[in-house]
C-alpha cells in the first residue's frame, strides 16, 4: 500500500514537471506543496531550502507565508549549526529557541513548551551533492503537533524530494542548480565567506553581509573606500552572487580616459562621429546588457557625462555619440566605486546631486587595512598560499618581521600587501624573510600605537632601523665578521649585507671585530 502511494506521488509529480519543465515551474510546484501543507496542518509559515553538502550554504529557497520584511531579516533561514545537526540525523526535528537550536522529535513533544518551538523540520537528500529541509512553524492551536501531524510533514518531505529530484533532472532547473553550486564553490570559502572579500574582522563581516543582501536585487551599488582596499573585487562579488552572474561584467575606469574618449567608451559612437571613426562601435552600456557595468573612480566623470549617465539611469535609454537619433535601451545593473567623498564634491559643484542620489542607493564602505588590523595575518597567509601555488615559494617571516607587518600602516591597503608578497617571492633568495630584508620594501608608514612611542618605534622602544642594525651586527658576530657568511645566515646576498654595513656605518666595527679575532 505504501509503495503504491509513493508510486502515485511520483507519477503525479513527474507528469507535472514534464509538462512544466522549468525552474519557475519547480518553484511554483514547491510553493503549491507548501501551501497545501500549511492548510492541512493549520500553520502560518513554511519553507523549503536546498543546501550544497560541501559548504552547507543554501543554494535555493522557496518561502510561503513570509512577508517581505521577514525575508529581508532572514527569518526563514536556519543557522549553519542547526542545518548541520538536522542533516546529520535524518528524521523530524523541532527547531527551538534553545541554544542547541535543533531537537530531535521524540514522538509526542511533551518535553517541549509551545513557546519554545520555532519550526518543525524534516530533512531530505537529492542526488549526491544536495540536501534539503522542509519546515513549517508551530500550529495555531494551543497544543504541540501530534505524531500524526509530524507524519504528514514527513510525507510532504518525500513529495518535495521527488519534485526537486525531477527538477534537477530537467534541463533548466538542473542548469540552475549546477550553476549555483559551481558559483558557490568558486565564491565561498569553507566557512561561507566570499572568496574575494577576505577578512574576519567585524567590519569585513558586515561588508560580506551587505554584499549578500544586495546582490540578489537590482539596486545600484556605490562602493566607497581608499585605493587598494578591494572595491573592484567587491563589485565583482556583487555581480557573481547575483542573478546576472551569467551575463557580462564590463569595467570602465573613468580615470583612464579623457572627456570625449570616456564618452565614447560608455555610450559608443556612430560612423563619422570623429576623425578615424570609420565604423560604428557599441559602448559599455550596450556591451553590459543583461549583466553588470562597473564604473571605477566615478568621481572622475566630467559634468557633461554625469548628466548623460543620470538620464540613462532614469530613463534606461541613450543614444550613441555622433548625431544618432535612435534611442537604445540596455538592461544593466550599475555598480560604481569611488575613492573620493562624493558628498563633498556635490557641495563644491563638481558632482551632480541627482546622479549622487541615483548611485548612492546602496552604499558599501570598505575601511582601510590600518583600521582592521585583525585581518592582516589572515590576508598575509592568503597571499603566501597564492604565491606558493603559483611559484612554489614557501615565504615565511621572522617574528620581528611579522611584528613590523602587523604594526605597518599599509597606505596601499590590500593591494600593497599582495604586491609586497609577490616582490618578496621574486627577490628573496631564501624563503625566510628577516626584518632587515623586509624593511626596504616598506614605505615607512606606521600606526598610532607606534607613533605614540616615537616615530617608527615598536612596543619595546626599539625602532625598526635599530632592530635591523642589531640583526646585521649579530649575524656578523656569529660568523666571525665574515660578510658572505653573515649574508647566508640572514638569507641575503653579500652585496646586500655590504649595503647595510655602509648604511649603518659599521665599517669600523667590522674592522675591529676581524682584528680582535686575529689577535686571539
Amino acid at each position: 500500500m505504501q509503495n503504491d502511494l509513493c508510486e502515485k506521488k511520483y507519477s503525479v509529480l513527474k507528469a507535472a514537471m514534464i509538462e512544466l519543465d522549468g525552474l519557475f515551474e519547480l518553484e511554483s510546484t514547491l510553493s503549491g506543496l507548501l501551501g497545501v501543507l500549511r492548510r492541512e496542518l493549520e500553520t502560518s509559515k513554511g519553507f523549503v531550502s536546498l543546501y550544497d553538502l560541501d559548504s552547507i550554504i543554501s543554494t535555493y529557497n522557496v518561502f510561503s507565508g513570509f512577508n517581505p520584511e521577514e525575508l529581508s531579516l532572514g527569518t526563514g533561514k536556519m543557522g549553519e549549526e542547526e542545518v548541520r545537526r538536522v542533516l546529520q540525523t535524518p528524521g523530524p526535528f523541532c527547531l527551538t529557541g534553545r541554544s542547541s537550536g535543533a531537537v530531535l522529535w521524540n514522538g509526542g513533544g511533551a518535553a517541549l513548551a509551545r513557546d519554545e518551538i520555532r519550526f518543525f523540520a524534516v530533512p531530505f537528500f537529492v542526488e549526491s551533492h544536495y540536501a534539503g529541509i522542509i519546515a513549517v512553524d508551530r500550529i495555531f492551536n494551543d497544543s504541540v503537533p501530534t505524531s500524526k501531524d509530524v507524519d504528514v510533514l514527513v510525507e510532504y518531505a518525500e513529495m518535495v524530494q521527488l519534485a526537486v529530484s525531477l527538477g534537477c533532472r530537467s534541463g533548466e532547473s538542473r542548469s540552475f542548480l549546477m550553476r549555483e553550486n559551481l558559483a558557490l564553490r568558486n565564491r565561498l570559502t569553507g566557512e561561507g565567506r566570499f572568496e574575494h572579500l577576505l577578512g574576519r574582522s567585524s567590519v569585513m563581516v558586515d561588508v560580506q553581509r551587505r554584499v549578500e543582501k544586495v546582490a540578489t536585487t537590482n539596486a545600484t551599488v556605490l562602493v566607497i573606500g581608499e585605493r587598494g582596499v578591494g572595491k573592484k573585487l567587491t563589485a565583482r562579488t556583487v555581480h557573481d552572487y547575483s542573478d546576472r552572474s551569467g551575463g557580462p561584467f564590463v569595467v570602465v575606469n573613468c580615470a583612464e580616459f579623457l572627456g570625449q574618449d570616456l564618452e565614447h567608451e560608455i555610450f559608443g559612437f556612430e560612423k563619422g562621429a570623429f576623425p578615424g571613426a570609420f565604423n560604428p562601435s557599441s559602448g559599455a552600456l550596450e556591451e553590459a546588457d543583461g549583466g553588470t557595468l562597473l564604473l571605477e573612480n566615478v568621481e572622475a566623470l566630467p559634468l557633461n557625462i554625469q548628466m548623460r549617465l543620470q538620464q540613462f539611469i532614469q530613463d534606461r535609454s541613450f543614444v550613441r555619440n555622433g548625431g544618432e537619433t535612435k534611442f537604445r535601451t540596455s538592461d544593466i545593473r550599475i555598480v560604481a566605486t569611488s575613492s573620493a567623498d562624493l558628498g563633498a564634491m556635490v557641495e563644491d559643484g563638481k558632482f551632480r546631486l541627482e546622479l549622487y542620489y541615483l548611485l548612492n542607493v546602496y552604499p558599501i564602505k570598505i575601511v582601510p587595512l590600518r583600521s582592521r588590523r585583525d585581518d592582516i595575518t589572515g590576508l598575509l597567509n592568503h597571499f603566501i598560499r597564492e604565491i606558493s601555488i603559483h611559484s612554489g615559494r614557501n615565504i615565511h617571516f621572522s617574528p620581528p618581521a611579522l611584528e613590523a607587518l602587523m604594526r605597518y600602516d599599509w597606505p596601499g591597503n590590500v593591494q600593497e600587501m599582495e604586491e609586497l608578497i609577490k616582490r618578496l617571492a621574486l627577490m628573496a633568495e631564501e624563503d625566510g624573510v628577516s626584518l632587515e630584508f623586509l624593511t626596504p620594501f616598506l614605505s615607512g608608514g606606521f600606526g598610532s600605537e607606534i607613533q605614540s612611542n616615537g616615530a617608527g618605534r615598536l612596543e619595546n622602544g626599539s625602532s625598526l632601523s635599530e632592530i635591523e642594525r642589531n640583526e646585521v651586527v649579530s649575524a656578523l658576530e656569529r660568523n666571525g665578521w665574515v660578510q658572505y657568511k653573515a649574508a647566508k645566515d640572514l638569507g641575503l646576498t653579500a652585496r646586500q649585507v655590504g649595503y647595510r654595513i655602509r648604511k649603518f656605518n659599521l665599517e669600523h666595527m667590522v674592522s675591529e671585530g676581524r682584528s680582535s679575532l686575529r689577535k686571539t
Side-chain angles (χ1 to χ4, degrees), residues 192-216:
R193 289 183 295 274
F194 295 106
E195 180 184 14
H196 297 310
L197 301 182
L198 301 171
R200 299 182 180 182
S201 62
S202 59
V203 290
M204 283 308 297
V205 169
D206 182 63
V207 168
Q208 293 160 10
R209 288 173 178 167
R210 290 180 65 80
V211 167
E212 184 176 11
K213 183 175 181 179
V214 77
T216 53

Side-chain angles (χ1 to χ4, degrees), residues 73-94:
L73 294 174
T75 305
K77 292 185 178 179
M78 296 168 56
E80 183 179 333
E81 293 291 330
E82 292 176 328
V83 173
R84 289 187 183 278
R85 186 156 188 220
V86 169
L87 296 182
Q88 284 172 358
T89 310
F93 268 79
C94 292

Side-chain angles (χ1 to χ4, degrees), residues 232-286:
K232 184 175 181 179
L233 291 175
T234 303
R236 179 78 212 201
T237 304
V238 170
H239 171 78
D240 288 346
Y241 204 49
S242 73
D243 295 337
R244 297 176 176 270
S245 59
F249 181 74
V250 179
V251 181
V252 176
N253 189 337
C254 302
E256 289 183 350
F257 299 90
L258 298 177
Q260 193 171 35
D261 291 337
L262 179 57
E263 198 167 9
H264 295 327
E265 185 72 16
I266 295 174
F267 297 97
F269 56 84
E270 287 297 305
K271 179 180 179 180
F274 56 89
F278 301 114
N279 295 296
S281 175
S282 60
L285 292 180
E286 293 174 76

Side-chain angles (χ1 to χ4, degrees), residues 316-420:
R316 292 293 163 175
S317 64
F318 67 98
V319 295
R320 288 180 179 175
N321 297 309
E324 182 188 40
T325 58
K326 175 185 176 182
F327 279 88
R328 302 172 183 270
T329 61
S330 182
D331 174 24
I332 65 172
R333 185 214 199 120
I334 292 180
V335 179
T337 70
S338 176
S339 300
D341 184 347
L342 294 183
M345 291 183 65
V346 169
E347 293 181 2
D348 294 338
K350 297 178 181 179
F351 205 87
R352 294 182 61 84
L353 177 63
E354 298 87 347
L355 180 58
Y356 174 64
Y357 286 146
L358 291 171
L359 294 177
N360 198 36
V361 173
Y362 193 90
I364 298 176
K365 184 175 182 180
I366 306 178
V367 302
L369 191 53
R370 62 181 175 274
S371 299
R372 48 185 178 98
R373 295 185 184 275
D374 290 347
D375 289 335
I376 291 176
T377 302
L379 287 167
L380 285 170
N381 289 333
H382 168 76
F383 292 126
I384 287 172
R385 284 194 299 268
E386 290 289 306
I387 284 294
S388 176
I389 292 171
H390 293 100
S391 69
R393 295 296 304 271
N394 185 25
I395 297 296
H396 55 276
F397 297 97
S398 68
L402 182 58
E403 182 179 6
L405 291 173
M406 293 297 294
R407 302 293 185 184
Y408 185 52
D409 256 355
W410 299 104
N413 292 294
V414 180
Q415 186 176 12
E416 179 185 5
M417 181 184 289
E418 182 178 12
E419 294 303 317
L420 170 67

Side-chain angles (χ1 to χ4, degrees), residues 180-192:
E180 287 297 297
N181 184 41
L182 179 61
L184 283 165
R185 288 170 184 267
N186 289 337
R187 285 195 305 266
L188 304 176
T189 67
E191 296 181 358

